[in-house]
């Protein structure tokens, strides 16, 4: 048989030899909204636990709309026009509105990327500011959370009169789900904030896709959100074809809670027992364009792989490895064990070390093989993974050690699926489960 995985802007086919039990785990089919623009207008007018956005805009000096960067497939060109119309109805003209790109620690987006993200008309008519986590002077110190996370948040955001967050809700390997509070932290946080929030000890706690209860990072991000004033949230959820399936507007926590419940229902899938081999995608573009982001596909697979099993990731990696810091960490590291020893040194820190840590966590459970047509085998071999010459070669190499009756699970949408064993969410950190 052949299975199809999201890959780059399209898909890739992976052949699987006969004789192996195979389960393909995909998001539940949910009907896309017939008129998402109308759903957004209704959400802005009748939001969850909030006054309508147009009323919040009255008598305001200005407004900031926070958007995700190019690494997230947020349909901003659909979301932003109804928001701007509501602000105009409340008395705020376009010249009083700024788009603030929540880059976190990612690079700034190019002019062409802003056009693609926002739609060229909006990108070229509104003021756009991009967050810079490394510019200490552009942040304000608001103290610390009870768990010790320093609250250093973008000064422009804090000085804006009306503060609106937008984004996409999907399973997230650290925070449980994306969207909501993540637009502020790490989206608008300083590097010193992210260093603690994504620290080694934090990521060995009850951290994993879909895990909210008892998740120390989720709790910390909520504390940050409550410390800053956020006036309104507009989040969406997408179906397996990336059509808008849900709109959640209003109170930044209550509306996000509704969105997380929706995504949990439509993205959660389960195996009766762990699989010997998990074949996963990086989620397709834009998530699989770098190895940094594609590791989220590996993390999704590690939640359902049998101990000493194998994971095969197929990702386009069309933009390469990721940041210079992330690539340096991988290429200078002799092994996963070597990197984890480095993390034990309290003086050690490098930007993006958290994604290497998640890769190491997967290694505790399984072999990790990667296929990409953009990076040569020699380059992949330096990334703490085993290169596969083709998807078929990766499957063959994995099965050589797993036996003729190895059970195979397939995640065509990779990290966009919330994969479980026995409907139980498994944290990514700690010792490998039996």
């Amino acid at each position: 048989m052949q299975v199809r995985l999201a890959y780059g802007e399209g898909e890739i086919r992976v052949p699987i030899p006969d004789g192996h039990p195979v389960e393909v785990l995909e998001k539940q089919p949910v009907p896309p909204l017939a008129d998402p623009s109308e759903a957004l207008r209704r959400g802005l007018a009748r939001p969850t636990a909030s006054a309508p956005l147009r009323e919040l805009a009255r008598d305001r000096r200005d407004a900031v709309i926070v958007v995700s960067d190019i690494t997230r497939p947020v349909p901003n060109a659909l979301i932003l026009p109804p928001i701007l119309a509501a602000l105009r109805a409340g008395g705020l003209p376009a010249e009083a509105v700024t788009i603030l790109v929540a880059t976190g620690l990612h690079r700034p987006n190019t002019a062409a990327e802003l056009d693609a993200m926002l739609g060229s008309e909006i990108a070229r008519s509104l003021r756009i500011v991009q967050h810079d986590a490394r510019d200490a002077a552009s942040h304000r110190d608001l103290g610390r959370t009870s768990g010790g996370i320093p609250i250093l948040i973008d000064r422009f955001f804090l000085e804006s009169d009306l503060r609106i967050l937008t984004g996409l809700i999907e399973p997230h390997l650290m925070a449980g789900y994306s969207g909501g509070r993540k637009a502020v932290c790490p989206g608008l946080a300083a590097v010193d904030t992210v260093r603690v929030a994504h620290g080694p000890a934090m990521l060995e706690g009850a951290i994993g896709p879909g895990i909210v209860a008892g998740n120390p990072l989720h709790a910390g991000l909520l504390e940050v959100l409550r410390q800053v004033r956020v006036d309104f949230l507009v989040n969406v959820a997408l179906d397996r074809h990336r059509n808008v399936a849900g709109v959640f507007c209003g109170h930044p926590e209550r509306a996000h809670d509704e969105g997380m419940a929706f995504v949990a229902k439509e993205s959660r899938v389960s195996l009766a027992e762990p699989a010997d081999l998990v074949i996963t995608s990086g989620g397709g573009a834009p998530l699989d364009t770098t190895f940094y982001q594609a590791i989220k596909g590996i993390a999704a697979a590690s939640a359902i792989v049998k101990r000493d099993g194998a994971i095969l990731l197929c990702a386009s990696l069309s933009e390469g490895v990721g940041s210079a810091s992330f690539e340096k960490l991988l290429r200078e590291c002799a092994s996963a064990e070597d990197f984890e020893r480095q993390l034990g040194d309290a003086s050690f820190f490098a930007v993006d070390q958290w994604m290497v840590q998640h890769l190491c966590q997967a290694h505790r459970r399984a072999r990790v093989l990667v296929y990409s047509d953009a990076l040569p085998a020699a380059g992949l071999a330096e990334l703490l993974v085993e290169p596969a010459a083709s998807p078929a070669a990766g499957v063959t190499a994995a099965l050589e050690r797993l036996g003729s009756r190895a059970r195979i699970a397939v995640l065509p949408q990779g990290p966009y699926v919330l994969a479980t064993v026995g409907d139980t969410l498994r944290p990514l950190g700690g010792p490998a489960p039996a």
Side-chain angles (χ1 to χ4, degrees):
M1 66 177 294
Q2 289 191 338
V3 293
R4 298 181 179 188
L5 306 181
Y7 187 90
E9 297 292 344
E11 61 182 23
I12 193 170
R13 296 188 179 194
V14 182
I16 298 177
D18 293 336
H20 294 276
V22 179
E23 291 192 61
V24 179
L25 305 177
E26 296 190 89
K27 296 173 72 170
Q28 302 301 316
V30 294
L33 297 178
D35 189 342
S37 293
E38 177 58 26
L40 281 160
R41 286 189 287 270
R42 286 198 305 268
L44 299 175
R46 296 191 293 275
T48 296
S50 170
L53 182 58
R54 67 178 180 275
E55 292 184 12
L56 294 176
R58 288 177 185 152
D59 300 321
R60 300 282 187 160
R61 179 184 70 251
D62 55 33
V64 61
I65 305 173
V66 179
V67 301
S68 302
D69 69 2
I70 194 64
T71 64
R72 303 294 189 271
V74 184
N76 291 301
L78 176 71
I79 293 173
L80 293 175
I83 295 175
L84 294 171
L87 294 179
R88 285 195 303 272
L92 277 175
E95 54 266 27
V97 180
T98 299
I99 302 292
L100 176 58
V101 183
T103 56
L105 294 182
H106 303 163
R107 62 169 175 79
N109 295 277
T110 66
E113 289 171 338
L114 291 172
D115 277 358
M117 288 163 47
L118 307 174
S120 58
E121 182 178 348
I122 289 177
R124 299 177 189 186
S125 62
L126 291 182
R127 180 188 183 194
I128 298 174
V129 174
Q130 302 202 58
H131 170 69
D132 183 356
R134 295 163 180 80
D135 179 9
S138 68
H139 296 79
R140 184 185 293 172
D141 188 346
L142 301 178
R144 288 180 177 265
T145 69
S146 60
I149 300 174
I151 308 175
L152 303 168
I153 301 300
D154 189 287
R155 184 179 297 275
F156 181 86
F157 176 75
L158 295 176
E159 292 176 353
S160 298
D161 197 9
L162 179 63
R163 305 169 194 170
I164 303 163
L165 304 182
T166 68
L168 172 66
I169 305 176
E170 60 194 7
H172 189 270
L173 78 172
M174 299 181 197
Y177 295 92
S178 63
R181 66 277 185 260
K182 282 191 84 267
V184 174
C185 183
L188 301 178
V191 63
D192 286 343
T193 297
V194 183
R195 174 178 182 172
V196 177
H198 292 356
M202 180 79 78
L203 300 189
E204 295 299 332
I207 297 287
I211 298 176
V212 173
N215 182 328
L217 178 58
H218 172 68
L221 299 187
L222 283 181
E223 282 194 56
V224 174
L225 181 73
R226 292 164 184 165
Q227 191 66 20
V228 305
R229 192 195 79 240
V230 173
D231 298 296
F232 205 82
L233 177 78
V234 181
N235 276 181
V236 299
L238 306 181
D239 68 8
R240 65 170 75 174
H241 303 295
R242 294 193 179 172
N243 301 307
V244 176
V247 170
F248 311 96
C249 300
H251 188 277
E253 290 186 51
R254 294 277 300 280
H256 188 244
D257 286 343
E258 291 180 352
M260 287 192 294
F262 177 91
V263 172
K265 184 176 180 180
E266 60 100 23
S267 67
R268 190 161 177 154
V269 293
S270 184
L271 292 175
E273 58 183 284
D276 298 286
L277 167 62
V278 183
I279 302 170
T280 183
S281 78
L287 210 59
D288 80 341
T289 58
T290 66
F291 186 56
Y292 175 89
Q293 294 291 345
I295 285 175
K296 294 175 180 178
I298 296 173
S302 73
I304 58 171
V305 72
K306 187 176 181 179
R307 185 166 61 184
D308 299 325
I311 295 169
L312 171 62
L313 168 73
C314 296
S316 72
L317 310 187
S318 57
E319 293 184 13
V321 179
S323 72
S325 174
F326 176 68
E327 184 166 359
K328 184 173 184 288
L329 284 172
L330 288 170
R331 297 202 187 282
E332 293 184 354
C333 188
S335 66
E337 294 78 14
D338 178 61
F339 182 77
E340 292 190 306
R341 281 192 290 271
Q342 282 185 288
L343 287 180
D345 181 353
S347 66
F348 173 79
F349 172 72
V351 169
D352 293 340
Q353 67 182 42
W354 32 89
M355 292 306 282
V356 183
Q357 184 176 355
H358 282 309
L359 179 59
C360 292
Q361 290 170 339
H363 274 290
R364 296 176 202 163
R365 302 181 178 188
R367 294 172 65 194
V368 179
L369 302 96
V370 174
Y371 167 74
S372 170
D373 61 359
L375 290 183
L380 284 172
E382 295 179 344
L383 305 181
L384 297 184
V385 299
E386 299 178 46
S390 67
V395 172
T396 299
L399 293 178
E400 283 176 352
R401 299 187 192 177
L402 296 175
S404 61
R405 295 296 298 170
R407 298 177 64 256
I408 300 173
V410 183
L411 302 177
Q413 290 96 32
Y416 296 122
V417 169
L418 184 55
T420 69
V421 174
D423 208 34
T424 299
L425 298 168
R426 300 166 72 184
L428 297 178

